[in-house]
Amino acid sequence: MAGEKISKALEAELDKIERECMRPLQLKAFQCSADCCRDQRMSHESLGRCLEGCMSPVAKAQENILNSEVTSLQDRLNRCALQCQDEVKDLLDGNPSDKTRSAAEKKAEDCLMKCADTHIALIPNMVKRIRNSMNCK
């Protein structure tokens, strides 16, 4: 449930970035690529370099900006979930009663929801960093 909550929040923001930032960047790259292909004087090697230069900003945005920010958020979320797991393990002894087990499950759910809420709150700043890095306001 907590994972679904953060996934929906992240997907909504990434969809906006894709539409508002990545698509215009891709359009510019494809237009640049078309211009490369229009130049009949270009050698095969020159054409390859031209096309690579056109697509480079898209690849950089995808790999260096989007992927690194999302990976960083996921890493932080995973560390939070591991902390929850450790807290629950500390509650359980060798042979926990049903009451103790139930309390541990509740603590785990609450802790994971708190992780989700905390990390959802981080998404707007992440989006701001991505947009700034991509020069997309």
Side-chain angles (χ1 to χ4, degrees):
M1 188 146 125
E4 188 176 311
K5 185 177 181 180
I6 195 162
S7 289
K8 284 183 179 181
L10 186 57
E11 283 178 32
E13 291 301 323
L14 291 177
D15 185 59
K16 287 180 199 172
I17 289 171
E18 193 272 331
R19 290 175 189 275
E20 297 169 6
C21 302
M22 286 300 293
R23 285 187 191 180
L25 193 60
Q26 289 170 325
L27 177 62
K28 188 175 178 182
F30 289 130
Q31 289 170 335
C32 175
S33 295
D35 290 341
C36 293
C37 293
R38 280 191 193 97
D39 188 346
Q40 297 296 316
R41 297 169 289 143
M42 231 184 258
S43 70
H44 177 72
E45 286 179 10
S46 295
L47 176 62
R49 284 191 301 274
C50 185
L51 293 172
E52 189 176 308
C54 292
M55 299 309 287
S56 176
V58 174
K60 180 183 175 222
Q62 184 67 48
E63 293 168 21
N64 297 344
I65 299 170
L66 276 174
N67 290 352
S68 70
E69 286 287 348
V70 171
T71 298
S72 176
L73 184 71
Q74 288 171 333
D75 289 346
R76 291 176 73 171
L77 184 61
N78 287 340
R79 286 192 301 270
C80 188
L82 287 172
Q83 181 65 36
C84 293
Q85 186 178 23
D86 288 343
E87 289 175 18
V88 170
K89 278 184 185 177
D90 292 342
L91 291 177
L92 301 173
D93 56 15
N95 191 14
S97 67
D98 288 344
K99 184 178 178 182
T100 303
R101 203 175 288 125
S102 181
E105 287 175 13
K106 173 80 169 110
K107 180 163 180 72
E109 287 174 22
D110 292 346
C111 186
L112 290 172
M113 280 305 241
K114 185 178 177 188
C115 286
D117 291 339
T118 299
H119 288 79
I120 286 170
L122 298 174
I123 292 174
N125 282 338
M126 181 191 77
V127 168
K128 189 183 237 181
R129 283 191 307 273
I130 290 170
R131 287 180 174 276
N132 286 340
S133 295
M134 294 175 71
N135 293 319
C136 175
K137 308 302 177 206

